[in-house]
Amino acid sequence: MFSVFVPSESTLKKLPAATTALPDNAVWIDLLNPTLEEDRAVERLTGIAVPTREDMQEIEISSRLYIENAARYMTATLMCQSDTDMPRTTAVTFILAGHRLVTVRYDEPKPFALVEHKLSRSCLPGISGEMVLMELLDAVIDRCADILERAGAEVDQVSHDIFEPESARHGQAKRYSQILIAIGRKGDLVSKIRESLVSIGRVVTFLSAVVEGAKWSKDMREQLKTMQRDVVSLTDHSSYLSNKITFTLDAMLGVVNLEQNNIIKLFSVMAVVLMPPTLIASIYGMNFKVMPELEWVHGYPMALFMMLMAAVLPYFLFRWKKWL
């Protein structure tokens, strides 16, 4: 079954594949995980060809943005599951055929649910497929902006965790692995958002070129220009976030390297401090027959004192040199 939006009913209602005719005022046909029978039914009812899932995954622009039999085909990459730890992207095809919009998708991007809910609450009179498309694109851009805003705040928090004062870090085990995982996830999310924005930008540019010969209202043309500016601005912001994440990752690796150097430095200093006492103990641990010190009454305390001084003097020397 596939969903059809009828303005008079203000809802997306599901129709069986055996439907023989569409309502005249049906402006939006939404195909979610369509079967072969549903694809053929929509093709029969609308007179347009519905692309397959393999066609939608093509990356060349000529296979994503084209006109066929007066229908405009636009395939964009949208975000899914962005609120989880495993965000992903999915290809969605928008087809403008006459006054109707046909969408083909194999996942559930959040903007679709938002637009469906909005249209069910308040549907403008005389709404067309072009207007529904504009609502969807606007919701997608707003969603990308929200995700970038949240990602930026989370990157700032990670940066604060890395560069927090040393006094705040003292005595606390740094969760470097969790921080590195968080940085990696944010980088992956921002890269997917950038990919989605680039594809949306291409769709908006394609629409701007196509509407020159179409009878679109002035408000819709202005809205399209606003979308273009928003996409460019968000793309620049995603590039900024990508650079910031790279800097944060480099800083994190630098902090880890410094911590490791401090640990190695501590072991090196301890080895040098303990080396003179070990040398003294080794000398008096040799079993030579002629060793006058072995006959001394205070030989044992003297050896302990020498080992203590041999350890204390290098320690204070390192403190004076500020190596510790």
Side-chain angles (χ1 to χ4, degrees):
M1 304 180 73
F2 54 91
S3 301
V4 176
F5 178 75
V6 181
S8 59
E9 301 178 12
S10 297
T11 182
L12 272 171
K13 62 179 182 179
K14 294 185 177 181
L15 297 180
T19 302
T20 56
L22 289 173
D24 293 335
N25 58 345
V27 297
W28 180 17
I29 303 173
D30 185 32
L31 290 167
L32 174 59
N33 293 317
T35 62
L36 181 59
E37 291 75 14
E38 292 171 345
D39 281 346
R40 291 177 177 174
V42 172
E43 289 177 350
R44 183 183 69 253
L45 294 171
T46 60
I48 61 173
V50 177
T52 63
R53 190 169 190 175
E54 291 74 18
D55 295 334
M56 295 168 58
Q57 292 175 345
E58 297 287 343
I59 61 174
E60 60 267 22
I61 298 180
S62 60
S63 299
R64 286 184 160 234
L65 306 170
Y66 59 94
I67 300 176
E68 182 179 294
N69 295 329
R72 289 156 283 181
Y73 291 76
M74 296 157 285
T75 301
T77 302
L78 305 186
M79 287 290 302
C80 291
Q81 305 296 327
S82 58
D83 297 328
T84 66
D85 292 335
M86 298 297 292
R88 61 178 182 270
T89 57
T90 182
V92 178
T93 297
F94 305 91
I95 308 173
L96 277 177
H99 68 286
R100 291 193 177 100
L101 170 68
V102 180
T103 55
V104 186
R105 55 195 175 104
Y106 291 87
D107 213 319
E108 300 185 23
K110 195 170 182 178
F112 278 78
L114 295 176
V115 171
E116 179 182 350
H117 181 65
K118 179 180 179 180
L119 293 178
S120 64
R121 286 188 293 106
S122 59
C123 182
L124 296 175
I127 190 172
S128 62
E130 290 88 351
M131 298 173 67
V132 176
L133 175 62
M134 299 296 284
E135 290 287 346
L136 287 171
L137 293 179
D138 189 49
V140 168
I141 295 173
D142 288 343
R143 179 63 176 166
C144 290
D146 293 339
I147 297 173
L148 283 177
E149 183 179 357
R150 188 184 75 243
E154 292 174 351
V155 171
D156 287 339
Q157 182 59 45
V158 172
S159 178
H160 173 74
D161 293 339
I162 295 174
F163 298 110
E164 63 183 354
E166 187 176 356
S167 57
R169 300 199 307 260
H170 183 68
Q172 298 181 3
K174 297 295 293 179
R175 300 187 302 271
Y176 292 131
S177 59
Q178 287 86 347
I179 293 178
L180 286 173
I181 291 174
I183 294 175
R185 285 175 177 169
K186 296 309 149 194
D188 179 61
L189 177 63
V190 171
S191 67
K192 286 182 169 58
I193 285 293
R194 181 174 174 79
E195 178 187 1
S196 178
L197 287 171
V198 169
S199 67
I200 290 296
R202 290 171 178 169
V203 169
V204 174
T205 303
F206 178 77
L207 272 178
S208 300
V210 191
V211 297
E212 294 300 329
K215 297 180 180 180
W216 283 34
S217 65
K218 183 179 179 181
D219 291 338
M220 292 179 65
R221 293 174 185 269
E222 290 298 327
Q223 185 180 4
L224 203 57
K225 293 180 180 179
T226 303
M227 287 183 184
Q228 284 182 297
R229 291 192 294 267
D230 290 342
V231 169
V232 172
S233 175
L234 291 175
T235 303
D236 292 340
H237 187 66
S238 66
S239 300
Y240 159 76
L241 274 183
S242 297
N243 294 333
K244 187 174 183 179
I245 289 172
T246 302
F247 166 75
T248 305
L249 178 60
D250 293 339
M252 182 64 212
L253 295 177
V255 170
V256 171
N257 190 35
L258 285 176
E259 292 288 343
Q260 291 177 343
N261 289 341
N262 288 333
I263 294 173
I264 298 301
K265 179 181 178 181
L266 178 61
F267 278 106
S268 301
V269 169
M270 292 302 297
V272 173
V273 168
L274 294 176
M275 188 180 301
T278 304
L279 176 61
I280 296 173
S282 301
I283 292 174
Y284 287 104
M286 294 185 292
N287 295 321
F288 290 112
K289 186 175 182 180
V290 180
M291 293 188 70
E293 296 87 344
L294 296 179
E295 303 295 332
W296 290 359
V297 176
H298 302 289
Y300 177 67
M302 179 60 71
L304 292 180
F305 177 75
M306 291 173 61
M307 285 188 287
L308 178 62
M309 292 303 297
V312 170
L313 289 177
Y315 173 76
F316 281 105
L317 176 63
F318 292 152
R319 291 296 298 269
W320 178 65
K321 291 287 189 180
K322 296 182 179 180
W323 293 348
L324 288 177

